[in-house]
Amino acid sequence: MTDAQSFYGRWAQVYDWVANAPGVASWRDRAADSLALAPGDTVVEMGCGTGANVPRLRERVAPAGRVVGIDVTQKMLDRARERSARTGESVHYVQADAARPPIREADAVLATFVAGIFEDPAAAVDAWCDSVGTGGRVALLNFQRSPSVLAAPLNLVFEGFVRLSAPGTRLSTRSHASAFERRVRAARDRLTERTVDRRYETMAGGFAGLLSGTVP
Ligand SMILES: C[S@@+](CC[C@H](N)C(=O)[O-])C[C@H]1O[C@@H](n2cnc3c(N)ncnc32)[C@H](O)[C@@H]1O
């Protein structure tokens, strides 16, 4: 079992509650919108967790499209399957490593609060860009520290949040947050290299950033 599987397996129930908190819904809507989905599309969510994004993805590709949720942690997928709003004939959950997704020719890929977890985020983003065809969109939504001086106290909250929400507890809280941010930056840099027609927006006073682009 990997660090991620034991970490998220332990926290699946609590995570599900946090992932579906009311304030997070609008960020998830904007992430889904950034994919410019059309009815009939196949959209893959990498590290889909308990399926918090799935209802909005399903709605955008209905009636003939497909949503494929990939996650390495069985207990997170079990939580997703327990909710009727996150299931349906057009929804498929697959337990697999999202760094090597077992899918090709999707129309879009979404990864929310996931890129900072991978050992080699740039390679994961490469795999995600390769799994969509020409014209496919890829979007990454992540937490980050805010550059605003006024945000200093909230940046401490961010560090605590990263500690609680991502595996890797052998580091100090601050180093853990910095390593997390480096990985998010590496993922964004690779998405920037691999895509055109990019859009970047921030939310929650700069504490969340959404980058999306089209694979040429
Ligand atoms: C912070 S949660 C985010 C879940 C979901 N994307 C959301 O927005 O609520 C990170 C998820 O990534 C999954 N994960 C971590 N490493 C993974 C890997 N190599 N392949 C697939 N999923 C992975 C974890 O099991 C967990 O469900």
Side-chain angles (χ1 to χ4, degrees):
M1 189 181 278
T2 64
D3 275 4
Q5 283 170 310
S6 66
F7 181 89
Y8 289 107
R10 211 164 41 241
W11 292 106
Q13 199 163 336
V14 176
Y15 184 83
D16 188 41
W17 181 81
V18 175
N20 289 285
V24 186
S26 65
W27 311 350
R28 295 191 184 282
D29 287 338
R30 284 161 72 176
D33 285 344
S34 76
L35 295 172
L37 293 168
D41 279 354
T42 293
V43 55
V44 182
E45 185 178 356
M46 304 296 180
C48 63
T50 59
N53 293 314
V54 167
R56 28 186 76 74
L57 298 176
R58 192 181 63 175
E59 179 186 296
R60 285 164 173 78
V61 301
R66 283 192 309 159
V67 180
V68 182
I70 295 179
D71 202 285
V72 79
T73 310
Q74 188 58 52
K75 283 198 176 148
M76 297 293 263
L77 296 176
D78 289 345
R79 296 292 302 177
R81 290 189 180 108
E82 283 166 14
R83 300 280 187 280
S84 59
R86 303 180 212 158
T87 54
E89 273 181 23
S90 58
V91 180
H92 309 271
Y93 290 108
V94 181
Q95 187 184 16
D97 182 359
R100 287 186 291 274
I103 187 153
R104 280 280 173 279
E105 297 180 9
D107 297 290
V109 161
L110 177 64
T112 60
F113 312 118
V114 165
I117 295 171
F118 290 93
E119 283 296 314
D120 186 347
V125 169
D126 271 337
W128 302 346
C129 290
D130 292 344
S131 68
V132 298
T134 298
R137 279 190 78 77
V138 178
L140 310 176
L141 172 63
N142 290 98
F143 283 121
Q144 59 206 10
R145 274 179 273 216
S146 169
S148 158
V149 223
L150 297 175
L154 286 173
N155 282 335
L156 291 176
V157 175
F158 164 82
E159 290 170 10
F161 177 84
V162 171
R163 166 64 104 209
L164 293 174
S165 68
T169 47
R170 282 177 291 274
L171 298 170
S172 72
T173 298
R174 180 148 296 177
S175 314
H176 187 49
S178 300
F180 176 89
E181 281 188 312
R182 268 197 304 280
R183 291 194 293 264
V184 169
R185 214 173 304 124
R188 287 179 179 163
D189 286 350
R190 186 53 57 92
L191 189 61
T192 299
E193 285 164 27
R194 291 285 311 260
T195 57
V196 296
D197 188 20
R198 279 178 301 282
R199 273 190 282 152
Y200 178 70
E201 53 184 302
T202 58
M203 318 165 192
F207 281 96
L210 171 65
L211 178 67
S212 60
T214 302
V215 175

